Amino acid sequence: MFFKDIPGLEETKKILIASVKNNHIAHGQLFFGSEGSAALPLALAYATFINCENQQAEDACGVCAACVKNQKYIFPDLHFIFPTSSTKAKTKDISSNTFLKEWRTFLTETPYSNLSEWGAFFGGENKQLSISVDESRNIVKNLTLKAIEGAYKIMVLWLPEMMNAAAANALLKILEEPPGKTVFLLVTQDPGKIITTILSRTQMVKIRDFTDSEVATYLEKKKDITEKRAKQIAYLADGKMNEAFRLVDEAEEDNQEMFREWMRLCYKKDYTSLVNWSDSFQKMGREAEKTFFQYGLSVLRESLVFQSTGDALLRLEETEKTFIENFSKVLNTEKIEKISTFLNEAYYHIERNANSKIVFLDMSLSVAASLR
Ligand SMILES: [Zn+2]
């Protein structure tokens, strides 16, 4: 991972690069960003930059021996600790090393993913993931040895909030008396769950969420979709890059048009059409159905904001703005909140594998009844 691979966040990249140039690399750093943010990719790019043999002004060189190995996550002085569990194939002596091969592929292919996506990736999805007690030995073993190739030994620890007490204590010991030229990059989504003795020994690097335009630009480049579609998805993903990727892959329908048409049918109480709709709704598949509900909920949320402030539609494009403005004229706050509740309930049932035809029809009837 290089800084140039990560969209936006120039302000954070500058601070990280300056810390290396000024020789102020704190030995314990806590990268804190919400799910789908650049917290893990930035820690990886930072690790690459620190050990690059020919650091450039804004990024690692990309061609030196260290960069080439760091890009594949096989640099001998870059170590990883992350949550794992047993799988069908592997049941004994489970630690990060057991899944190192899967982890490298995961970082290469989907570095913005969350914990459950990682679980699904290596085959531990139905198990409780954690950072096991055995990891404490790995931490001590890997970091008390001399660096093999790099100037710095770096350990990236993903989701320290999932460490058990023994692993946390081993880490704490090393943070208290760090061996020379050792850097710990802890990447967390929830610092509130990390013990305070560890927090007090790390320097916090707060990573903001991506903006809509950072997500949209990145999607256009990576996923080869139109600007309009990229913007629509960025808006729905709400700063979460993993969510944006999921939406591109799974949402085929044009939700904007579909939602508008569906609301019109509910408003007209056109029951025959709504029954037909529930048939085609079922054929969309569960992920697309969920995306439709998410879209509907976001429109309702914007409508509420619009009603209370009058001018909060800056994130939307023209056609959508017009729709929400008209929508807000027809419905009062109470009705919008009611419809949101129905959509939320429907989403809940779809997520738990209820029959989507019945859920959709039931929701449509409730919405139609509440509209007049
Ligand atoms: Zn380099």
Side-chain angles (χ1 to χ4, degrees):
M1 182 71 62
F2 298 106
F3 286 125
K4 66 173 167 52
D5 299 327
I6 302 163
L9 292 155
E10 302 308 331
E11 69 283 11
T12 315
K13 292 174 186 172
K14 270 198 189 113
I15 294 171
L16 292 173
I17 289 168
S19 75
V20 180
K21 300 255 174 195
N22 303 332
N23 247 324
H24 280 301
I25 307 174
H27 71 264
Q29 301 188 38
L30 185 69
F31 284 57
F32 163 38
S34 51
E35 196 180 306
S37 76
L40 179 59
L42 276 172
L44 298 169
Y46 185 47
T48 305
F49 187 79
I50 289 174
N51 275 325
C52 171
E53 294 157 19
N54 186 17
Q55 291 157 350
Q56 310 289 299
E58 294 182 348
D59 211 336
C61 77
V63 291
C64 71
C67 278
V68 170
K69 287 180 189 167
N70 265 314
Q71 194 173 11
K72 296 182 197 155
Y73 307 111
I74 53 170
F75 190 63
D77 294 309
L78 177 66
H79 304 278
F80 294 104
I81 302 270
F82 43 84
T84 54
S85 72
S86 60
T87 61
K88 272 189 197 133
K90 295 171 181 172
T91 55
K92 270 190 180 166
D93 300 327
I94 301 297
S95 73
S96 300
N97 283 336
T98 319
F99 298 104
L100 201 52
K101 198 169 152 252
E102 290 85 349
W103 176 250
R104 286 170 177 149
T105 315
F106 178 74
L107 292 183
T108 307
E109 289 175 2
T110 56
Y112 295 97
S113 300
N114 63 20
L115 182 68
S116 64
E117 286 158 339
W118 162 237
F121 191 89
F122 78 88
E125 65 236 83
N126 297 320
K127 299 267 174 59
Q128 186 74 38
L129 272 64
S130 69
I131 292 177
S132 75
V133 57
D134 298 339
E135 302 286 12
S136 55
R137 257 170 269 138
N138 292 338
I139 294 175
V140 175
K141 196 179 76 191
N142 286 326
L143 294 185
T144 44
L145 296 169
K146 242 187 144 41
I148 301 169
E149 286 185 28
Y152 285 88
K153 281 170 290 179
I154 302 178
M155 175 159 279
V156 174
L157 201 159
W158 190 47
L159 305 180
E161 54 268 41
M162 306 198 66
M163 273 188 294
N164 68 24
N169 279 327
L171 173 65
L172 185 59
K173 249 193 176 139
I174 282 214
L175 283 174
E176 278 168 343
E177 289 170 51
K181 298 237 163 181
T182 303
V183 181
F184 274 95
L185 304 176
L186 313 184
V187 181
T188 180
Q189 288 170 5
D190 189 357
K193 286 192 187 143
I194 301 174
I195 53 174
T196 48
T197 38
I198 286 185
L199 285 182
S200 67
R201 280 174 180 81
T202 53
Q203 185 178 304
M204 174 92 85
V205 183
K206 173 92 180 74
I207 319 287
R208 65 164 168 81
D209 286 351
F210 286 114
T211 63
D212 286 357
S213 82
E214 282 165 355
V215 173
T217 314
Y218 192 66
L219 285 183
E220 264 187 83
K221 204 168 74 186
K222 285 268 169 186
K223 290 283 184 176
D224 194 28
I225 55 174
T226 64
E227 187 188 340
K228 183 176 173 232
R229 182 119 187 81
K231 276 187 178 163
Q232 216 178 51
I233 289 176
Y235 165 63
L236 285 179
D238 206 17
K240 294 184 174 60
M241 198 58 90
N242 59 338
E243 184 66 8
F245 274 64
R246 190 185 74 80
L247 290 169
V248 173
D249 292 343
E250 283 155 355
E252 296 299 320
E253 303 295 317
D254 189 347
N255 287 303
Q256 194 183 330
E257 237 175 87
M258 188 173 152
F259 184 73
R260 212 178 304 172
E261 179 61 12
W262 174 67
M263 285 305 300
R264 202 177 60 81
L265 294 176
C266 289
Y267 196 74
K268 277 172 47 193
K269 295 197 195 298
D270 184 345
Y271 296 123
T272 320
S273 301
L274 285 171
V275 171
N276 291 337
W277 262 60
S278 60
D279 275 326
S280 45
F281 186 75
Q282 190 168 34
K283 289 183 191 127
M284 280 163 53
R286 222 157 275 276
E287 290 307 321
E289 290 164 10
K290 278 160 69 181
T291 307
F292 174 74
F293 289 131
Q294 270 179 317
Y295 177 78
L297 284 165
S298 68
V299 167
L300 294 166
R301 199 168 49 230
E302 292 292 339
S303 304
L304 277 180
V305 173
F306 180 69
Q307 280 195 342
S308 53
T309 64
D311 59 356
L313 297 174
L314 297 171
R315 291 175 64 204
L316 304 178
E317 48 178 311
E318 244 3 87
T319 48
E320 215 154 30
K321 252 183 214 172
T322 319
F323 173 56
I324 288 181
E325 280 164 14
N326 293 334
F327 193 72
S328 315
K329 276 181 216 153
V330 189
L331 299 178
N332 60 23
T333 314
E334 195 191 338
K335 280 181 181 167
I336 293 176
E337 276 171 356
K338 232 181 188 167
I339 300 172
S340 301
T341 314
F342 295 137
L343 255 77
N344 258 320
E345 280 167 8
Y347 184 93
Y348 176 90
H349 291 300
I350 293 291
E351 220 180 13
R352 280 155 190 81
N353 292 327
N355 180 312
S356 52
K357 185 179 167 178
I358 295 172
V359 170
F360 187 82
L361 190 58
D362 187 52
M363 173 185 69
S364 302
L365 297 179
S366 305
V367 171
S370 70
L371 278 176
R372 289 194 209 173

